[in-house]
Amino acid sequence: MRLLLVEDETRMAEALSELLGMEQYDVDVRNDGISGLEAAQCGDYDVLILDVMLPGLSGFEIAGSIRRLGIKTPVLMLTAKSDVDDKVKGLDSGADDYLTKPFEVKELLARLRALTRRNVNAPGSAFVFGDISLIPGTFELHCTSSGQSVHLSKREFRILEIFMANQNQILTREQLALQIWGYENEAEYNNVEVYLSFTRKKLAFIGSHVEIKALRGRGYELRESHV
Ligand code: CA
C-alpha cells in the first residue's frame, strides 16, 4: 500500500512516516505544495494524505488540481482546526475524508483502512444488485433498465457497496457507520441517514428500481421494487 504524505512540519512528517512504515505502508514524504502536487501527479499511490496549510500550494489546491486531471486516488485532508468551512472546502475540492489535528494515530489508521478497503476487497470487479451495478475505481453507478449512470461520492459508493456485499440482510445504522468510517463514533450515526438520503436521490435520479428501505426499529435493506 503506497501513501504520499504532504506535510511541511518536518518532525510531524517524519514521525508519521515512521509510524505508517511500521504498519506496512510504503510512505513518500513531500514538505511543500509544489513538490507534493508533482508527486501526486506522477506517483502510483493508494492514498494521498494532504496537510491543508502548506508553502507553495495548499492541500485544497493540490486536491483540486489532481481531480481536474482525472486522478481519483483517495485523499485524506489534515486540517489544523475543526473549522466547518475548512471541511466543506476540503470535500468540495475533492478530498474524500478529513482529520482534524491533533489526531490519534489509531484514528488515522482507521481512516486509511476505510479509504483503501475498496481496493483490497474487490479489485476491478463490479458489484451488481437488481438493475444497478458499481464498478470499483470509477465511482460510477450504472442502471441497466434506464441505461443511465451517475457519479457517486466516496461515501455513497461505500454505502451501496456495503449493501451489495450483504444482500438480503438488514443492516443497522451502527453497522453501517462502523463499515463506512471504519471505527465507532457516536457522532457519525446521524450522518449515516444523511448519506443514505443522498444515495436514495442518486438511485432515483438514474431511474433505478432498487431502493434503500428503512425498516422501523430494525435498520435498512436494499430492495428491488417492481412498480
Ligand atoms: Ca502545515
Side-chain angles (χ1 to χ4, degrees), residues 7-9 51 53-54 101:
E7 166 64 82
D8 59 317
E9 291 159 52
D51 186 30
M53 298 300 289
L54 292 165
K101 291 178 178 179

Side-chain angles (χ1 to χ4, degrees), residues 6 8 30-39 54-59 62:
V6 187
D8 59 317
R30 294 293 183 277
N31 299 120
D32 67 88
I34 310 252
S35 63
L37 175 60
E38 269 172 21
L54 292 165
L57 289 171
S58 72
I62 297 176

